[in-house]
Amino acid sequence: MTTFPNLIGGEWTMGANSVPNVNPSDTNDIIGEAASATADEMNTAIEVAHAAQAGWGASTPQQRFDVLDTIATEILARKEELGELLAREEGKTLPEGIGEVARAGQIFKFFAGEALRIPGERLDSVRPGVEVDMRREAVGVIGLITPWNFPIAIPAWKAAPALCYGNAVVLKAAEAVPGSAWALADIIHRSGLPAGVFNLVNGRGSEIGPVMIDHPKVAAVSFTGSVQTGRSVAQACAKNLKKVQLEMGGKNPMVVLDDADLDVAVGACLNGAFFSTGQRCTASSRLIVTEGIYDDFVAALSKAVSALKVGDARDNATQIGPVIDDRQLAKDLEYVEIAKAEGAKLACGGEKIDGKGHFMAPALFVDTTNDMRINREEVFGPVATVIKAKDYDEALAIANDTEFGLSAGICTTSLKYATDFKARSKAGMVMVNLPTAGVDYHVPFGGTKGSSYGSREQGRYAVEFYTTVKTSYTQA
């Protein structure tokens, strides 16, 4: 067993309080003890970040490149080791955990390159002899609030651009995954980054989250988590005139048309709905299938779901790991009962699996309607539903009939329908013959409606959130 301390001002500290880090595959396995910060410790981290930011903001592109590239290189070199830690504490299968770590390294590599090409612009003024230049500058101290389901990738895709553009960072990671956050912080700490520019503060969100959001020296907050908490964060940031970026929930549709390749459709839906134990905001939880292929699709997908191997995340045979904790498991099982009570037909799964961890058989409901709670509310677990649609137009209408708009997909061999769906889908990301979950690290990530608020994350679009624009006039 080990400890996972906070990193404040370049110093590791456990503080007075700690909480156990428990393996969801085996609750008898205590991975370590994680620091649980107080409000005073959060205040200290913000103050030291503010003091350190001016120097880092004045650093050269080469200095930033060197630091970010060093971070990326170590992450990629240790992806198997860090992937195993991630699988052990979060419950992703080992291949998924290693893949997530690799993605974190790739993100830092990308933003190392971006540090050398921070955009700007020069224009002639409408007045003779006057030049105008626009440059991007750091915002200041950025507060990052990250969830447990991508415990290395999401902190990476927030911290990397923040550092790239000269900001200081205070990361408040999820309590359930302190080991992954600590491992990332340790790599960043040893990269040559000046002390205080990056700080890790673990603790109860209800206690230290408001301290971060309300502190006058935090200029912006980037949050990924639940809709309810995200709305509270937005309201608090608006009150304090802070820049805010929110990534929240999803109830993502996957449309399967009569002309779809059945194997492709089943594979995309199986992956999108159930991999990572369905604990992805981009998971395809609503499968909208047209009449002609409906019966064949339901039969094939039911067979595939029933065959999924559920077990310890680090077992090579496992395809679906545990749910993150007992509260999430109870929520998932409750939604199974809600769906049954509404008249949805359970095709397979849906029961708790006895063992040392938080295991559940993946649940597939068929013959559902879009007005059922199971199709309106985000479950965030291995639960998917099938909705029958008359034709493409009805399927599209059902897909768009949701308060969310993160990701959407369609399986079809028709260029006509694929093109139309990409244009008319009310989602920020659209997939054709691919799972709704699984995106590249170098392009924008984000949605519409209740799924996202503010600037896009990832890729070159991240510059919009992590910088502010200064316009300068010069007369020679």
Side-chain angles (χ1 to χ4, degrees):
M1 190 166 75
T2 187
T3 57
F4 303 114
N6 292 319
L7 178 64
I8 300 176
E11 300 292 332
W12 295 106
T13 173
M14 281 298 292
N17 306 312
S18 65
V19 294
N21 184 17
V22 181
N23 179 352
S25 292
D26 179 359
T27 56
N28 294 322
D29 176 24
I30 307 301
I31 301 165
E33 289 289 324
S36 184
T38 63
D40 286 343
E41 288 170 305
M42 174 59 83
N43 276 316
T44 300
I46 293 167
E47 292 290 342
V48 299
H50 183 263
Q53 189 276 319
W56 181 244
S59 61
T60 67
Q62 187 65 52
Q63 288 172 306
R64 297 183 199 177
F65 171 89
D66 290 343
V67 166
L68 293 171
D69 189 60
T70 297
I71 294 167
T73 299
E74 182 170 347
I75 291 172
L76 292 170
R78 297 172 58 195
K79 64 183 180 181
E80 286 82 9
E81 170 203 347
L82 298 176
E84 182 167 357
L85 171 61
L86 195 160
R88 185 181 176 196
E89 74 168 358
E90 194 274 344
K92 276 187 172 71
T93 64
L94 189 54
E96 289 175 324
I98 294 171
E100 179 180 333
V101 174
R103 177 175 174 178
Q106 291 162 342
I107 289 166
F108 272 99
K109 284 284 186 185
F110 176 85
F111 281 105
E114 289 300 284
L116 299 173
R117 49 179 175 262
I118 295 174
E121 191 176 4
R122 181 206 163 278
L123 295 173
D124 288 331
S125 171
V126 296
R127 293 168 288 177
V130 176
E131 292 182 352
V132 186
D133 66 85
M134 287 71 72
R135 60 178 294 168
R136 290 191 174 270
E137 296 183 344
V139 174
V141 177
I142 310 289
L144 308 180
I145 302 174
T146 59
W148 49 260
N149 62 325
F150 284 89
I152 286 183
I154 292 181
W157 84 45
K158 294 179 187 293
L163 297 175
C164 167
Y165 299 118
N167 300 284
V169 170
V170 178
L171 168 62
K172 191 280 174 208
E175 295 171 81
V177 286
S180 294
W182 169 84
L184 179 62
D186 178 55
I187 293 170
I188 293 173
H189 174 59
R190 292 183 288 98
S191 67
L193 188 72
V197 176
F198 178 90
N199 303 272
L200 170 66
V201 186
N202 287 313
R204 292 181 61 85
S206 59
E207 294 179 11
I208 63 175
V211 178
M212 172 192 285
I213 295 166
D214 293 335
H215 200 291
K217 291 180 180 176
V218 173
V221 175
S222 180
F223 167 88
T224 299
S226 71
V227 175
Q228 181 179 3
T229 304
R231 286 175 175 166
S232 297
V233 170
Q235 290 170 357
C237 287
K239 181 180 67 176
N240 294 302
L241 300 180
K242 294 183 191 294
K243 208 171 186 182
V244 64
Q245 177 184 63
L246 307 176
E247 289 297 339
M248 299 173 288
K251 199 65 187 174
N252 308 295
M254 172 64 89
V255 171
V256 179
L257 298 184
D258 289 350
D259 65 10
D261 181 303
L262 184 60
D263 291 338
V264 168
V266 170
C269 292
L270 189 73
N271 180 311
F274 298 108
F275 284 23
S276 295
T277 322
Q279 296 175 145
R280 300 184 284 191
C281 56
T282 51
S284 41
S285 52
R286 293 185 300 141
L287 311 177
I288 304 163
V289 185
T290 51
E291 292 176 341
I293 199 173
Y294 185 88
D295 290 341
D296 289 342
F297 175 84
V298 166
L301 183 61
S302 298
K303 181 179 179 181
V305 173
S306 299
L308 288 171
K309 171 67 175 176
V310 180
D312 189 298
R314 293 181 292 169
D315 186 328
N316 289 333
T318 295
Q319 295 171 287
I320 304 294
V323 170
I324 185 65
D325 58 27
D326 55 356
R327 290 174 298 177
Q328 186 64 47
L329 179 59
K331 176 186 173 184
D332 295 346
L333 295 172
E334 180 184 5
Y335 269 106
V336 169
E337 296 307 314
I338 289 170
K340 290 178 181 177
E342 288 182 313
K345 179 182 176 183
L346 183 61
C348 60
E351 70 274 9
K352 180 180 178 181
I353 298 175
D354 292 333
K356 296 179 180 179
H358 307 299
F359 297 109
M360 172 184 173
L364 180 66
F365 284 95
V366 300
D367 300 342
T368 70
T369 58
N370 203 46
D371 59 350
M372 293 178 174
R373 280 185 63 188
I374 196 70
N375 285 321
R376 308 306 298 179
E377 301 170 11
E378 186 177 38
V379 179
F380 215 69
V383 180
T385 66
V386 186
I387 304 169
K388 183 184 289 188
K390 179 178 62 176
D391 53 23
Y392 167 74
D393 288 329
E394 184 176 71
L396 175 65
I398 294 170
N400 286 335
D401 181 15
T402 173
E403 67 177 281
F404 300 105
L406 183 55
S407 184
I410 186 169
C411 290
T412 179
T413 55
S414 165
L415 181 60
K416 169 188 171 182
Y417 288 130
T419 302
D420 187 77
F421 188 81
K422 287 191 291 183
R424 295 171 62 194
S425 173
K426 303 303 182 184
M429 298 178 290
V430 179
M431 314 293 185
V432 178
N433 295 321
L434 290 165
T436 57
V439 295
D440 291 350
Y441 62 87
H442 67 305
V443 296
F445 179 98
T448 62
K449 298 187 280 187
S451 290
S452 303
Y453 180 83
S455 306
R456 286 289 188 261
E457 297 202 90
Q458 297 198 131
R460 304 194 75 177
Y461 283 73
V463 73
E464 298 295 336
F465 181 73
Y466 292 100
T467 65
T468 184
V469 177
K470 177 183 285 182
T471 305
S472 299
Y473 295 82
T474 302
Q475 179 170 305

